[in-house]
Amino acid sequence: MWAVLNGTIINAVAVAVGCLLGLSAARGLPQRIQRTVLDVLGLVTITLGIDAAVLRFSDVIAAYRPAGHEGRTYGATLGLLLIVCLVLGAIIGATLRLHERLENLGDVIRRRFGHAHDLRFTDGFLTASVVFCVGPLTLLGCLKNGVEGDPSYLYIKSMLDCFCAMALAAGMGIGVACSIVTVLVVQGGLSVAFYCSADSLPDLSIQMMTVIGGVILLGTALMLLELKRIAVTNLLPGLLLAPLLIWAIEWVSPGLLITQ
């Protein structure tokens, strides 16, 4: 099992190191500098979100679009699938109150560790949990680690997350460190799930999960920049809906989406 989870464990250690460095640096940083750090991180998150949600989506359309007249509507078909996944995912997430439950978990941890009056704690926990666990490297890294036993992508992600944790912890406090639990549970769960089932998961499903993850990252960036508070956790079921809907559509109408 170490071969399946080693990338996740190293990732959690890297986040812990980044949080320690960020918390140490934050003691000497003025509030305006901490705010600037969060603004920069928000802009970087937008860049990552655009890369996953926009550029990756264009690449997927180009890769799977059939030749001839049928290919003209393929982009619109995938776009409709993206909308359905996000809308249904948001409805499921809101019904299950995923965002509220994660917020409540953050509040429980905050009170448990004596930070009952630190209002940034829950925001730090929520933001870091989404930033560290949603994105192209998370899905691809867990896939590669789970199926091939190759943690290289997650090692790269670990280095990036270390610097990201430094910035987040410096601006949002110790709540960021508690997202280590989320990293272990989510990434570890994905690696094990891919280990058990990825052989039968089409590449299109993985690519669309990445695109949806990019949209969720964009929502997280809006929160970091204090432009709009979005319950991004409620959107997470959309990630799981993508492979389910693709399977259902291909079962009803083979070749409609997976043309190769």
Side-chain angles (χ1 to χ4, degrees), residues 6-20 158 162 180 183-184:
N6 52 357
T8 295
I9 294 172
I10 295 299
N11 199 165
V13 172
V15 170
V17 171
C19 287
L20 287 174
S158 298
C162 181
I180 294 171
V183 170
L184 290 171

Side-chain angles (χ1 to χ4, degrees), residues 90-248:
I91 292 173
I92 293 171
T95 301
L96 297 176
R97 301 168 60 191
L98 294 182
H99 195 80
E100 293 178 37
R101 293 179 190 278
L102 194 58
E103 279 188 332
N104 291 338
L105 176 60
D107 289 338
V108 169
I109 298 174
R110 181 181 67 182
R111 291 192 296 269
R112 174 66 179 82
F113 288 95
H115 295 272
H117 301 293
D118 186 357
L119 298 180
R120 300 181 307 166
F121 187 100
T122 302
D123 283 345
F125 172 68
L126 287 170
T127 301
S129 293
V130 173
V131 168
F132 294 149
C133 295
V134 176
L137 277 179
T138 299
L139 292 172
L140 296 178
C142 290
L143 175 65
K144 200 172 185 65
N145 205 177
V147 176
E148 303 176 11
D150 181 358
S152 57
Y153 282 8
L154 289 183
Y155 284 170
I156 296 172
K157 179 179 180 293
S158 298
M159 181 179 65
L160 298 175
D161 285 354
C162 181
F163 289 105
C164 186
M166 288 174 59
L168 279 174
M172 306 187 81
I174 197 172
V176 176
C178 294
S179 67
I180 294 171
V181 176
T182 312
V183 170
L184 290 171
V185 172
V186 173
Q187 284 192 188
L190 282 174
S191 295
V192 172
F194 281 133
Y195 172 75
C196 297
S197 64
D199 287 339
S200 60
L201 195 63
D203 179 68
L204 179 61
S205 297
I206 297 172
Q207 298 298 333
M208 288 304 297
M209 290 172 73
T210 300
V211 172
I212 293 170
V215 175
I216 296 174
L217 277 180
L218 288 173
T220 305
L222 295 179
M223 294 175 59
L224 285 170
L225 295 171
E226 297 186 346
L227 296 176
K228 174 72 174 178
R229 291 191 63 85
I230 299 175
V232 290
T233 310
N234 288 342
L235 303 181
L236 292 178
L239 290 169
L240 301 178
L241 285 176
L244 291 176
L245 289 178
I246 289 173
W247 174 83

Side-chain angles (χ1 to χ4, degrees), residues 22 24-38 120 167 169-172:
S24 299
R27 296 190 180 98
L29 290 178
Q31 185 64 36
R32 68 180 186 280
I33 301 298
Q34 295 183 28
R35 182 63 254 172
T36 300
V37 168
L38 287 178
R120 300 181 307 166
M172 306 187 81

